[in-house]
Amino acid sequence: MTEQDVNGNGVTGADVKEHGGAGVATAGAANAVAAGTRANRIGTVDAGLTKASSASAVYLLTGGTLVDGSGSPGYAGDLLLAGERIVAVGAAVAAARAALPAGTVVTEIDCRGRVVAPGFIDVHTHDDTVVLNRPEMLPKLSQGVTSVIVGNCGISLSPYVVAEAPPPLNLLGKDSYIFGTMQAYADHLAEVVPGVNVGVLIGHTTLRFGAMNTLERTATDAEIAQMEATLDAALSEGALGMSSGLFYEPAFAATSDEVLALARVVGRHRGVYTSHLRSEMAAIIEAIHEAGDTAFEGGVPLVISHHKCAGPANWGRTLTTLPLIEELAKRQEIGMDVYPYVAGSTVLREDLVDGVIDVLVTWSTPHPDTAGRLLSDIALEWGVTQQEVCRRLQPGGACYFQMHDDDVDRVIQHPLTMIGSDGLPHDSRPHPRLWGTFPRVLGHYARDRGMFTLEAAIHKMTGLSAKRFRIAERGLLQPGFFADITVFDPLTIKDNATFEDPIQLSTGITAVFVNGAVSYVGEGGPLLGEPVRAGRLLRRVNAATA
């Protein structure tokens, strides 16, 4: 790294070291500082990551391979960032740099041997609460993620207030529901300044809890009207769309007409509708038709959440579900997201414990010591069935090894598929997808297995994601877009999180910029000072700019 003014005057890292200067260091010193910073940040709240200042820094990323997020082939080139925006890309950089005001300090970052890409967008998260109470967002920034979509699976932190949230709302923290409006949540987010950008979906289940006194029935016309009004206000206040989780008991009784009424509200705001299908098992075909028809009639794009064919009896059925989704795509805008693992994770549910698949406990309120153990081992030790163990451990969560590799491969390769971690940050022993999803796609699936090109992998986590969720001015390396940038080593990028040891930093992420601010520096990355938090609320393309 070299700091220079626009006239080219500057000093190298070696010169600074020799003269005792600050702010630039040799690679060895940078590595040591970066490693120490990472070690200090794990398991802490907001340690070593401060809010971004209002100063406008200028960065020149030189010599890297630019992969622009569109799916087009990468090429060697430079990238110029100024303040929160991308100023110039590739051949246009020289002229743009020359046009900078005299005396502008340009920090050069040597990206030779690295890929320079748009910041990754995690389209499926449950980070609603952690962006507020653990705003450093190390699990995501350390993967190159610069934006997260919260409020998935029908579960959002707003607009709802309750002292102790029941399942499945407690996936976000049972005592976290303090925001009666989307605006209240947005205001607090702006005050905190999280490490990543945040796009918000409003959960259908959350709306039901707010409008109904009991959820084991269909909603009345008056209750639907109340949900419509609440959703309309939330969309006006900045939400990107709505999610549903008809799989979960508090929403299972909802009719298609109830969800359609809400989808129409989303359609009027040009938002997006995401669906955790009513079934991902035997009735998955009917569930896909239900979600597709709801979105089509509601005039809203559909994203099928974490598409899978769950349970051994359903393995191989992606050979049927994917052609069906392709057929639906001929009449409507539709997409999917996926995480690159054969195990899912959610709350402990007896109906998911079949005695065939492995079930790994991630947390349990009455028996916290069981986290990290298989349900079958606990059942053997206690001398009871696995279903009985499941009952005794509730409330709790688990990883369910319910998918087949072949199905995961088919879904992740599909051109309609985006990448979403679906990580659960409140679990004491979380699914490794929380820390490893994006490097796993780039390393294991793209590089090691050659299932798709690096450019295709990056498109699935940047340009395609921004387009599907109608996020303004992000997801591409394009002049005028927000400077969300991830720099990584394509030869070494690798997920290190495992089911046995899930809280592990990935390898190969060099540096991450959020809105032009340096928010993460990985091992071997340049010494750029203390990383800062610079995230903000994401806006739709038809809304005010972020």
Side-chain angles (χ1 to χ4, degrees), residues 214-226:
T214 177
L215 281 74
E216 294 77 27
R217 58 173 175 81
T218 59
T220 65
D221 290 345
E223 290 165 340
I224 292 174
Q226 182 178 339

Side-chain angles (χ1 to χ4, degrees), residues 208 215-219 246 248-255 258 278:
R208 292 193 109 225
L215 281 74
E216 294 77 27
R217 58 173 175 81
T218 59
L246 302 180
Y248 291 104
E249 186 176 349
F252 191 78
T255 63
E258 174 183 322
R278 193 181 294 272

